Amino acid sequence: MASIQKPVGTKDLLPDEAKFWQKFRETAFEIFGRYGYVPIETPVFEQTDLFVRGIGQATDVVSKEMFTAISGENLKTLLGGGHIKSKSRLSLRPEGTAGVVRAVAENGLITQGGAPVKLSYAGPMFRAERPQDGRQRQFNQVGIECLGAGEPTIDAEGIIMLMRFFEAIGIPADAMRLLVNSMGCEKCRPAYREKVRAFILEHADALCEECQRRADTNPLRAFDCKKEGCHAVMAEAPRIVDNLCEECHEHYDAVKGLLDATGVSYQEDYTLVRGLDYYTRTVFEVQVIEGMGAQNAIGGGGRYDKLMAEIGGNPAPGFGFALGYERCKIALEANGFKLEPAMAYDFYIACVDDSVRPLAFNVLQTLRDAGFRGDLDHQHRSLKSQFKQAGKLGASRVVVLGPDEVAQGMAKVRDMASHEEVNVPLDQVAAAFAE
Ligand code: AMP
C-alpha cells in the first residue's frame, strides 16, 4: 500500500526542532512578560464571519487563502445543496489577532478605567498559499495583542519588545531592517484611498490586471504588488505621510520619537500597507536583509483601533504583532544556528547481566524521581552495546550495575567525559549526581 504523506505545505517538527520551538516560545513569553503580557489560548478554528469581518473580505488571506472546515452533518447538508447557518461556517485561523480580539470582547476582559489588556499567544496558523521556502500552509506564529490603549507608547514598546526578542534568539540587530509607516485613520484614510484609486486609474496601462482591479476593491494593496513594473509606478503614487490628519501625524511622530530615544533604528516605508484591512495608524514589519528572497518578513503588525467594534465588541483601540517561527529559524540558520539534540541524558544505567535488572529498574525510578533524566536498556543488549547506546543518547554518566557490585550494595558511576569511575553506595547515587 502506498504510504500516506503529510499534506502539501506542512512540516513535521521532529523532536530536536519541537524542543527548539518550545524554547523559542518560552523565550518570547519571558521577554513579553517583562512588558506585562500574559498568555492566552484561543481555538484554532473560529466562525468564518469573524475573519471576514475582522480581516476583510477583499484581502488575499480571506478571499483566497482560508481553509474552511465543515463538520460531518453540515458537509452532508452542503453536498445535498442545502444551506447551513452562518454560525456553522468555520475556518481555520489564518492569523491570531481576530480570535484574541473576539475572546477579549466575549469575555469582557477590558474593564472600565482599568489597565490595558496585554495578551500573548503562540500556535499554528493556516493559509492556503502556494508553498515555497519560508511559506507554508500551516506555520507557527508567536504574537501579542494589547487592547484598551491608543497611546503611542504602546506601539513603541511593542516594536522595541519584538526587536529585543529577535536579538535574544540570536538574529543580529544588523541583519534586520525595521520598516514603519502610518496607515492613517477613518478620518484621513478614505480621502487618501480615493487619491490612490484615482492614481491607479490614471496609470492603469502600466499596472498589472490585479492592481487595476484593486482600484475598486482595495487600492492601497497595489503598494504590496511584487511585480517590478507595478512597484516602480506605485513609488510615484501619493504618499500617506502627506495625507495624514493632525492626530495621526502626532501619533506617528510620537512613535518614531520613542524609537529614536531608545536607539532602535528603523526606516520609514510609505509603501508598507501590510495585507490585512484592519490596520489604522502605525504599521511595521521586520525583514531580514539578506538571503531570504521574497519571504524575508519575519514579523510585523500594527495598530487596529476599529477592529473591536468591527467584530461587534465595545469599541477599544488595539495594537499587536505576529512573528513567524519558521522564518526566524531560517534567519537563524543563515547565522550558523544548529538545532541541539532534544534530550541530553543525565545518566544511563548499564546492567552487567539480567540478574540485576529488577534492582536497576528501582534505581532508575529513584533517579528520575530525584529530577534526573535517564533510561536503561530495555532490550537486553550486551554491556558493550549498552555503553554505545549511552554514548548515542548523550548520557553524561553511566551507572554500571553488576552482580558483584550489587552484592556489596554498590554501583559504579562512570563519567563519560573524563572516563573516571567511582564506586557509590546504591542509595547515594542521586546524591553523587548532585555533587
Ligand atoms: P502576517 O500575519 O501576514 O503579518 O504574518 C506575520 C508573520 O508570520 C510574517 O512576518 C511571517 O514571518 C509569518 N508568516 C506569514 N505567512 C506565513 C506562511 N505562509 N508561512 C510561514 N510563515 C508565514
Side-chain angles (χ1 to χ4, degrees):
M1 234 194 293
S3 61
I4 298 177
Q5 296 175 339
K6 61 186 177 302
V8 168
T10 64
K11 270 196 182 148
D12 298 311
L13 297 192
L14 300 179
D16 294 354
E17 182 160 10
K19 187 91 184 195
F20 176 62
W21 164 226
Q22 188 182 18
K23 192 171 142 204
F24 185 94
R25 283 181 330 235
E26 281 167 4
T27 306
F29 286 155
E30 194 277 313
I31 292 177
F32 300 168
R34 297 182 208 166
Y35 296 73
Y37 284 84
V38 288
I40 185 167
E41 299 267 348
T42 62
V44 295
F45 60 91
E46 297 272 357
Q47 289 183 35
T48 303
D49 268 356
L50 173 70
F51 303 120
V52 172
R53 272 157 62 182
I55 304 172
Q57 181 63 59
T59 58
D60 285 356
V61 165
V62 169
S63 65
K64 302 186 198 158
E65 296 168 3
M66 274 212 299
F67 281 102
T68 288
I70 300 167
S71 64
E73 274 308 304
N74 290 327
L75 182 60
K76 260 195 231 157
T77 310
L78 278 182
L79 290 177
H83 276 286
I84 58 170
K85 290 190 200 117
S86 83
K87 255 195 195 166
S88 307
R89 293 177 190 274
L90 306 171
S91 293
L92 297 184
R93 62 183 185 192
E95 52 95 66
T97 304
V100 172
V101 172
R102 190 236 357 106
V104 169
E106 193 171 336
N107 297 288
L109 298 188
I110 300 181
T111 52
Q112 197 85 47
V117 182
K118 289 179 161 183
L119 301 166
S120 52
Y121 61 86
M125 306 294 159
F126 307 84
R127 295 183 195 174
E129 298 192 83
R130 198 165 47 79
Q132 52 179 261
D133 259 1
R135 199 158 80 185
Q136 297 177 197
R137 294 185 152 193
Q138 177 175 337
F139 56 98
N140 289 299
Q141 283 188 340
V142 176
I144 60 102
E145 314 295 343
C146 175
L147 276 305
E151 284 70 17
T153 40
I154 294 291
D155 313 28
E157 71 166 18
I159 295 173
I160 293 165
M161 175 169 101
L162 177 62
M163 299 311 285
R164 294 283 198 266
F165 167 72
F166 284 141
E167 287 176 51
I169 57 158
I171 306 178
D174 59 5
M176 296 181 282
R177 180 194 297 132
L178 166 63
L179 303 176
V180 300
N181 191 20
S182 172
M183 299 281 289
C185 66
E186 84 274 22
K187 247 177 34 195
C188 50
R189 189 154 56 178
Y192 174 65
R193 261 173 85 109
E194 268 316 300
K195 280 193 188 175
V196 176
R197 198 175 93 85
F199 178 89
I200 293 176
L201 295 176
E202 262 170 51
H203 296 79
D205 295 351
L207 293 167
C208 72
E209 269 178 31
E210 178 129 29
C211 283
Q212 293 176 28
R213 258 198 311 277
R214 283 173 175 146
D216 291 322
T217 54
N218 205 348
L220 302 192
R221 284 305 308 280
F223 284 112
D224 252 357
C225 188
K226 298 281 179 279
K227 299 196 183 74
E228 283 278 315
C230 299
H231 208 75
V233 174
M234 292 309 292
E236 303 298 319
R239 302 185 322 166
I240 180 89
V241 69
D242 302 324
N243 289 276
L244 293 176
C245 62
E246 209 179 308
E247 291 91 336
C248 285
H249 235 303
E250 270 175 26
H251 186 96
Y252 187 44
D253 285 344
V255 173
K256 287 187 293 174
L258 290 162
L259 295 179
D260 289 334
T262 324
V264 172
S265 47
Y266 59 88
Q267 294 170 21
E268 290 179 69
D269 180 351
Y270 306 126
T271 67
L272 180 70
V273 291
R274 306 206 18 93
L276 320 177
D277 271 2
Y278 53 56
Y279 289 115
T280 47
R281 297 194 166 163
T282 314
V283 283
F284 67 99
E285 186 162 287
V286 185
Q287 300 178 343
V288 168
I289 298 170
E290 269 174 37
M292 287 185 61
Q295 310 306 321
N296 64 350
I298 50 174
R303 178 157 283 291
Y304 49 81
D305 292 342
K306 298 288 143 208
L307 181 58
M308 194 73 171
E310 204 65 56
I311 65 158
N314 288 330
F319 172 87
F321 66 66
L323 60 100
Y325 159 73
E326 285 78 6
R327 290 201 200 157
C328 286
K329 186 172 159 257
I330 296 174
L332 285 170
E333 281 164 345
N335 284 284
F337 166 82
K338 292 217 165 36
L339 287 173
E340 282 170 15
M343 173 66 92
Y345 280 76
D346 295 315
F347 71 93
Y348 192 79
I349 299 186
C351 300
V352 174
D353 65 25
D354 281 350
S355 70
V356 295
R357 283 184 174 271
L359 177 84
F361 196 79
N362 284 347
V363 175
L364 173 66
Q365 199 49 46
T366 309
L367 290 173
R368 285 172 172 170
D369 288 343
F372 297 101
R373 286 176 298 188
D375 213 336
L376 54 64
D377 162 47
H378 294 275
Q379 294 151 303
H380 299 270
R381 292 170 205 254
S382 69
L383 189 61
K384 196 170 157 203
S385 48
Q386 290 180 60
F387 266 96
K388 251 196 205 152
Q389 193 64 22
K392 272 194 202 149
L393 293 169
S396 40
R397 308 173 191 88
V398 174
V399 180
V400 187
L401 295 179
D404 297 345
E405 287 96 347
V406 167
Q408 294 164 23
M410 301 294 276
K412 202 182 280 172
V413 177
R414 178 200 280 228
D415 183 308
M416 292 292 271
S418 66
H419 301 290
E420 262 172 47
E421 280 185 0
V422 284
N423 287 324
V424 179
L426 272 170
D427 57 358
Q428 284 172 37
V429 178
F433 280 8
E435 273 168 15

